[in-house]
């Protein structure tokens, strides 16, 4: 069993910006197969999270009016719940029980390292026993 979630997190996560058009961000989530992605500022600091669910309002609006509008900043969650890279898998599993999120940004010393997906942690726990 791994002692921390660091080896379980995804590092190949699309990183979105607040100014990005919401349609482009939604396409990135779908194309990369992620339910959520971190939103970073120009320095790479985490400023929020955008989920596929956040994109449904603009998508429905676009299906009716035939035009996408808005930016990631309009829909993202600010002050996201994060996990530290040194978090153990059991504590991370409890975080998934305590929050409705499908993924958490993973931080180390204040820097964004990647994303822990609920499905990746569950797969790890299944391999254990």
């Amino acid at each position: 069993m791994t002692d921390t979630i660091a080896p379980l997190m995804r590092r190949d996560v699309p990183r979105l910006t607040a100014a990005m058009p919401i349609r482009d961000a939604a396409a990135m989530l779908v194309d990369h197969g992620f339910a959520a992605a971190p939103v970073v500022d120009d320095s790479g600091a985490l400023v929020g999270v955008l989920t596929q669910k956040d994109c449904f309002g603009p998508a429905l609006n676009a299906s009716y009016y035939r035009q996408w509008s808005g930016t990631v900043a309009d829909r993202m969650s600010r002050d996201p719940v994060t996990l530290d890279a040194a978090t153990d898998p059991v504590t991370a599993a409890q975080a998934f029980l305590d929050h409705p999120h499908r993924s958490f940004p993973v931080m180390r010393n204040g820097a964004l390292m990647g994303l822990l997906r609920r499905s990746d942690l569950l797969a790890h726990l299944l391999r254990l026993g």
Side-chain angles (χ1 to χ4, degrees), residues 2 4-13 15 34 83-87 89 92 96 103-108 111-118 120-121 124 127:
T2 178
T4 71
I5 60 170
L8 306 175
M9 73 180 174
R10 298 289 180 118
R11 295 178 188 271
D12 60 339
V13 179
R15 293 177 187 221
F34 281 87
L83 295 174
D84 188 271
T87 302
F96 281 115
S103 58
F104 288 106
V106 178
M107 310 293 287
R108 179 177 285 139
L112 178 65
M113 301 302 296
L115 199 71
L116 179 66
R117 299 188 320 181
R118 184 172 61 187
D120 293 332
L121 180 58
H124 170 73
R127 285 190 298 272

Side-chain angles (χ1 to χ4, degrees), residues 12-112:
D12 60 339
V13 179
R15 293 177 187 221
L16 311 175
T17 64
M20 181 180 286
I22 193 71
R23 188 191 189 295
D24 294 349
M28 285 181 73
L29 289 174
V30 170
D31 290 347
H32 288 89
F34 281 87
V39 182
V40 298
D41 65 14
D42 291 339
S43 71
L46 181 69
V47 296
V49 170
L50 185 78
T51 68
Q52 285 184 359
K53 184 176 180 181
D54 297 330
C55 299
F56 269 91
L60 288 173
N61 188 57
S63 69
Y64 184 75
Y65 294 107
R66 303 288 184 235
Q67 181 178 352
W68 285 78
S69 63
T71 64
V72 168
D74 299 330
R75 299 292 178 158
M76 71 182 193
S77 299
R78 300 174 191 279
D79 299 319
V81 177
T82 64
L83 295 174
D84 188 271
T87 302
D88 65 272
V90 172
T91 301
Q94 186 62 53
F96 281 115
L97 284 174
D98 294 342
H99 300 280
H101 310 310
R102 293 182 181 187
S103 58
F104 288 106
V106 178
M107 310 293 287
R108 179 177 285 139
N109 299 324
L112 178 65

